Every structure is written in C-alpha cells, then in structure tokens.
Amino acid sequence: MYAAHVVVQLFAVNTMLPILEIVYWNGSIPAHEEISINLATLVGTVLGQVLVGILADRYGRKKLYGIELIIIMLATVGLALCSKGAMNSVNILAWLISWRLLMGIGIGGDYPLSAVICAEFAPRKHRARMLATVFFMQPVGALMANLVAIITVAAFKSHISENANPSDCMDQCLHATDQIWRWIVGFGAIPPAFAVVLRLYIPESPRYTLDVEKDPYTAGHDIKAYFGNRSRSTSTGQEPMILQPIAQREQLVPGGVENPREVADDNEVIVTETQQPKNDIPREALPEPRPPNGTSERSSTLISSLRFGERQELTPSPLPSTIQPGEVQHMDELDIRRKVSKETWCEYWQGLRKFLFTDGNWTDLAGTSISWLVLDFSFYFLGVNSPKIITRLWNSQLYTEIYPMLMEYGYRALIATSLGAVLGGAIFIWMAKFRWQLQLYGFWILAGLFIAVGVCFITLLGTKYFAAIIALYALCNLFFNLGPNTSTFIIAAEVFPTRYRCTCHGISAASGKLGSIIAQVFLAKAKFGGADVNDPDSKWLGWVLLVFTLFMAFGAGITKFWAPNPCDKHGESRKLEDLGLGKQARKQMEERERQEEEDSDTY
C-alpha cells in the first residue's frame, strides 16, 4: 500500500545532496539553493495530498491509485537523467527542482489513497494494526534509502581516489561520484514498477461505490469478487441482491423471510441474497427511504439511502404490483438497481461545507491537521537535514575525503535515526489499538526527550559524554514512530465520512508538510547566538530542540481536546460508518457507553 519507495525518494535527498554538492558545486552548495532542493519535494507533496485527496473522493480511489506511482516513476527517471548539458547550457538547479516538485506531487497523492483504501477494506477488528503496518513502510523506506546509499558508494570505492576531497574531485572521481547519485535516485523507480502492477488488481472501495457512486449492486459484486467465499452472505448461491448499511440491520420486509441475513460483528459490509418470502407481500409494504440531506429530489429512490452509516427513517411509498410466492425477484425486476445520479461538484462542496461548519465537525479536521503540523515541524527538519545533524551528534568535523564522508553519513544515519524509527514503528503495530493514547502521550514524551537532548547537546557537546546525545536522539526517533508520526496517519483515515475521507486525510497530511516547509524556511534564516544553521561550531541544534519542546506540548493539547478518538470506551475500534456521522453522534455514543457502564456497575 503505502510503498517504501515513496519514502526512499522523500528521504533520498539526505544522501543525494552531499554528492550533488561535489558534482555541481565543488563541495559547497549555496544555502538558498540547498533549501530550494529540500523544499521542492515538500511543496509538491502538499499539492499532491490536497489535489489527489479531492479527486479520489470525486472520481474513485481505484482510478487514481496507480497514477501517482506513474508520476513518481517518471519524475524519478527524469531526475536521474538530468544534467547541465553541453557547455552548461542547462540550469541544473532548475531541473532538480522541477523533477523533485513533480515527484512530490506523486508522493503526496499516495498518502490519502494508501491510508483510505486500507481503512475501507480492513475489518474493524484489525483496521488500526493494518494501517500501522502500511505506515511502517515509512521507516523501512528510510532504512532502504540509507542501505542503497551505503551499497552504492561502496561499489564505486575503487573509482574514487583515496585522498580526493569535494573541492578537487576531477576526471574519474567526478565521473564515479556523478554515477553514484544517479544510481541512488534511479533505484527508487524500481519498486513503483512492481507496485503499479499489484494495484491493478485492487477493486474500487465498496464503501465508495455504495456511498458516493450509489451503486450497491456493483459494490456487492466487488466484495464477492475480492473476498470470495469469505464475504458475509447467505448460502443460497443466488446473486447478491443489495449491500445493506449496518445501521439498517432491522428487517425491511415485514412478514418474515427464509434465510434471514446474518448480522456482522467485525465486518461492516453485509451482502444479502435475493430471498423468497413466505407469503404474498404487496409492494406497498416495501419501504422507500427519504432522500438524505444534501441530495436532490431525483435521488429519492430506494437505492439512494442504502449507504454506509446513514441512519435514516424509512417511509412507505406505494409501488404497483406484488411479489408472488416462490418467485425469485432479481434486481431489475424489483427496480432496485436504478442508479442514482452522482453528486455534482457544487453538491460536493456544499456537503463538505455543511459537514465541517454547519454540523460543527471542523474541530475534528483541525485536530488531525494541527497535530500533524506541529509533529512534522520537528520531524522533517531532523530528517531532511540529517547529514548536518548527524555530524554534529557525533561531535566531529566534516570529512575532507569523499569516500569516508559518504560512508559515515550512511552508517551514522542507520544508528541514530533508522534503527530507532523501525523499532518504534514495529512496536506501534503491536499497540495499534491504543493509537489515540499513543499520540497524546507520545507528544508529551517527545517534549521531555527534546528537553533532555537539547540540554545535553548544549552542555555535553565537546566532552567524552557526547554518546549520550546520540542515544537520546535515537530515542526521539523511536518515539516519533511509536507515537504521533504513525497515529496522525491512521486517525485521519478513520474519523471522516466516506465521501470526504480522502479530502480530509489529504488536508491533514498537507498541513503536516506545511509545518515541515515552515521549519525549513525558518531554520534557514534563523540564527542562534550569532551563528546560522550551517555553522559547524555552533550549538544551534540544542536550542532548536528546546524550541521544538513547545510544539510537542501544543500537539498534546490539540490531541486532547480536538483530535477525535476512533475507539469506544472499551478500546475497540468504532465502525467507520459510526465515526463518519460526526462529532455530535460520537458524543452521543460515548454518553450512551458511559450510561451503560454506570448501569452495569449498579447491578
């Protein structure tokens, strides 16, 4: 799902920039050009998250799930092949920025699609763990980026002069170094090629087909085709009649039927079969639902209300003819398969505005967005700028020889960042049912760790105890992925209605990348004690981490009061349909659970 190649490309800039400095800038890239390369992918990611999120809610998840990978592949190949041209006829910086911007659009599109598709297909019982496994590909991708860089540099060792330094790398050394960064970047085009093929076999989300396309017949067939005999249906062997919303578990046809449908427990999807009534049942007895809010009058058919989570009253509507005993009625005979027109763009925006502002659910979106923003403000600064940070953590000066410099970057990143991140992500999978609590307390733990590592950096740097700084920094990366870095991705995919789920997840994720952009720009201009970020003799990192403490505390407050909890009082995941009803319905459910708990204590 959330493929590791996405993160390989996002974090490959850590290993790519030091080599690009050697090849095109004689070992010293201007600060404004470095920040431009760093920002290009992040800006593209913001655009992709918002744009693809909206389009996926309008045109379907499947139609776009794969297009973003093609964009990533094209941008990766283009980036790996770009050059300065003959006699420097091409601006290499412009090419690097353009390709990384396009790559960012593809990367951004993968965020809402991977999260939402996984959430909508996953059984309720395992949804959180499956989403955590999807996001686990981020630390795995960062680990892969470091490993690819180390292996590639080692493979070209014989072509790099032993004493070559960034300022005098010429001829064979320059040729080898130029090949290294192209291989590192080009490797990122291989995993998407396999992933595109696999994604061709993923059907459209039945929830989307039912709730947005308003076509329960197709949704039922998609479920049976995807799950086979595992789908929850009766065993009559007949064609699926309709995909029923969980809210409507009561029998719609009075008088009783043979083979009543099963009631799902963990799966929100129920496929019912055509059933044979015991007695003559006039069609007048078949209820026709009222059209849902925001739906035009032309949508007032039986099919229009058969949508996940829409708790609507049913009113009888006279229809001519009767159902004869012993006669199996198919979809077209019952006139049930009449397809309701899809929402227009105008209706979509009106519905989104009503859901967020009229119904008061904007605080849910603000909670998922702001918590993601304050997290990425620190996370992507420490990640995207890791070569300089890693050098400072090891209390060492920059290497003057190319080969040991590039190898040390890779080894140190593995120890200080990748291993802790992978471990934290793995533990989160095991504890995924406590995702909201992990986000809340994860922010507080990170705030404490930032204070500890910031103070240690200021006081212990230059002493024999600098290893404590490395250990604390690795611990920060562990709790990033054991806490809010993973949970923000998961919660935003669960708590919004199907028709706006990709849009809201995309906005939330884009807010996070906006925080990383602000951090990049701020720290490129900020000075601490008269020294800027690029000064190796300053202790700027310690002060930066102390500033980040405030953001972590703010994230904890946002999570506490605004971020919705996708679980009930017993720690079990709620149905997506219940969560999609909004904040007021969620409060009523919580109140009902409290009342039931009090009643059980009384007895």
Side-chain angles (χ1 to χ4, degrees), residues 395 452 454-469 472 539:
N395 194 28
V455 171
C456 288
F457 192 90
I458 295 171
T459 58
L460 299 181
L461 191 66
T463 71
K464 61 181 180 180
Y465 302 109
F466 73 91
I469 305 173
L472 287 171
K539 295 184 178 180

Side-chain angles (χ1 to χ4, degrees), residues 516-538:
S516 66
I517 292 172
I518 295 172
Q520 293 287 306
V521 174
F522 170 73
L523 293 169
K525 302 296 183 181
K527 293 184 180 294
F528 298 89
D532 60 22
V533 168
N534 298 312
D535 190 340
D537 296 321
S538 71

Side-chain angles (χ1 to χ4, degrees), residues 88-380:
N88 295 330
S89 60
V90 177
N91 186 327
I92 186 63
L93 178 64
W95 275 114
L96 293 173
I97 292 175
S98 299
W99 286 120
R100 287 192 65 82
L101 179 68
L102 181 62
M103 184 187 300
I105 293 175
I107 291 173
D110 210 64
Y111 272 77
L113 286 174
S114 293
V116 168
I117 288 175
C118 180
E120 292 181 347
F121 273 102
R124 176 166 57 98
K125 181 178 179 181
H126 305 294
R127 187 176 67 231
R129 186 165 292 180
M130 290 176 66
L131 281 166
T133 304
V134 169
F135 192 77
F136 184 60
M137 293 300 101
Q138 185 186 79
V140 169
L143 178 65
M144 287 176 57
N146 283 321
L147 291 176
V148 168
I150 292 172
I151 294 171
T152 307
V153 172
F156 282 88
K157 179 180 180 181
S158 60
H159 300 281
I160 301 176
S161 175
E162 183 176 343
N163 298 321
N165 61 65
S167 60
D168 64 1
C169 181
M170 306 292 290
D171 302 327
Q172 186 181 21
C173 172
L174 187 62
H175 179 73
T177 312
D178 188 49
Q179 284 185 306
I180 289 173
W181 80 265
R182 296 181 191 278
W183 275 105
I184 293 173
V185 172
F187 175 81
I190 299 176
F194 292 101
V196 166
V197 176
L198 295 176
R199 291 182 180 186
L200 293 176
Y201 295 95
I202 298 178
E204 181 58 85
S205 164
R207 284 186 165 89
Y208 179 85
T209 305
L210 185 64
D211 193 26
V212 180
E213 296 289 348
K214 301 181 176 67
D215 187 357
Y217 188 82
T218 300
H221 270 291
D222 286 344
I223 291 173
K224 297 201 74 174
Y226 187 74
F227 291 104
N229 293 330
R230 293 175 295 169
S231 61
R232 302 295 300 265
S233 63
T234 58
S235 56
T236 61
Q238 299 167 346
E239 290 187 6
M241 173 182 172
I242 201 163
L243 200 65
Q244 296 284 5
I246 290 298
Q248 298 175 2
R249 289 183 176 176
E250 66 274 9
Q251 190 66 42
L252 292 181
V253 179
V257 295
E258 297 178 0
N259 300 322
R261 73 175 186 268
E262 296 180 66
V263 176
D265 44 15
D266 291 332
N267 296 323
E268 287 78 39
V269 176
I270 300 177
V271 180
T272 62
E273 310 288 347
T274 52
Q275 300 165 343
Q276 179 177 333
K278 294 180 177 178
N279 305 306
D280 289 8
I281 302 175
R283 278 204 171 188
E284 295 89 293
L286 291 174
E288 181 175 353
R290 296 170 182 172
N293 293 334
T295 306
S296 60
E297 193 63 33
R298 55 188 167 84
S299 301
S300 179
T301 64
L302 177 61
I303 220 67
S304 66
S305 72
L306 296 177
R307 293 156 40 187
F308 285 92
E310 295 290 343
R311 303 177 183 274
Q312 297 164 0
E313 298 178 0
L314 303 176
T315 56
S317 178
L319 294 172
S321 81
T322 61
I323 299 176
Q324 300 300 324
E327 182 179 7
V328 178
Q329 301 293 333
H330 294 285
M331 297 289 291
D332 55 342
E333 293 173 303
L334 291 175
D335 199 26
I336 292 179
R337 201 185 174 185
R338 287 180 295 161
K339 193 172 181 180
V340 181
S341 298
K342 186 178 178 180
E343 282 183 331
T344 64
W345 275 99
C346 182
E347 290 171 333
Y348 166 80
W349 289 115
Q350 289 175 351
L352 180 61
R353 184 171 61 250
K354 177 182 181 300
F355 172 76
L356 292 178
F357 300 107
T358 305
D359 298 341
N361 295 301
W362 66 270
T363 54
D364 287 353
L365 182 59
T368 57
S369 299
I370 298 175
S371 58
W372 209 331
L373 184 149
V374 297
L375 167 78
D376 279 4
F377 184 83
S378 59
F379 179 77
Y380 273 87

Side-chain angles (χ1 to χ4, degrees), residues 425-505:
I427 297 174
F428 193 102
I429 295 174
W430 177 53
M431 303 179 64
K433 67 178 295 183
F434 306 108
R435 51 201 176 278
W436 188 85
Q437 290 80 2
L438 287 172
Q439 176 166 315
L440 175 63
Y441 297 115
F443 271 123
W444 285 119
I445 292 172
L446 285 170
L449 285 173
F450 282 162
I451 292 176
V453 72
V455 171
C456 288
F457 192 90
I458 295 171
T459 58
L460 299 181
L461 191 66
T463 71
K464 61 181 180 180
Y465 302 109
F466 73 91
I469 305 173
I470 301 173
L472 287 171
Y473 187 81
L475 204 59
C476 286
N477 281 279
L478 186 150
F479 279 100
F480 266 128
N481 286 278
L482 181 53
N485 192 37
T486 305
S487 61
T488 49
F489 178 86
I490 295 174
I491 293 175
E494 298 180 286
V495 297
F496 300 106
T498 301
R499 65 179 67 181
Y500 311 124
R501 188 169 289 128
C502 274
T503 300
C504 293
H505 191 282

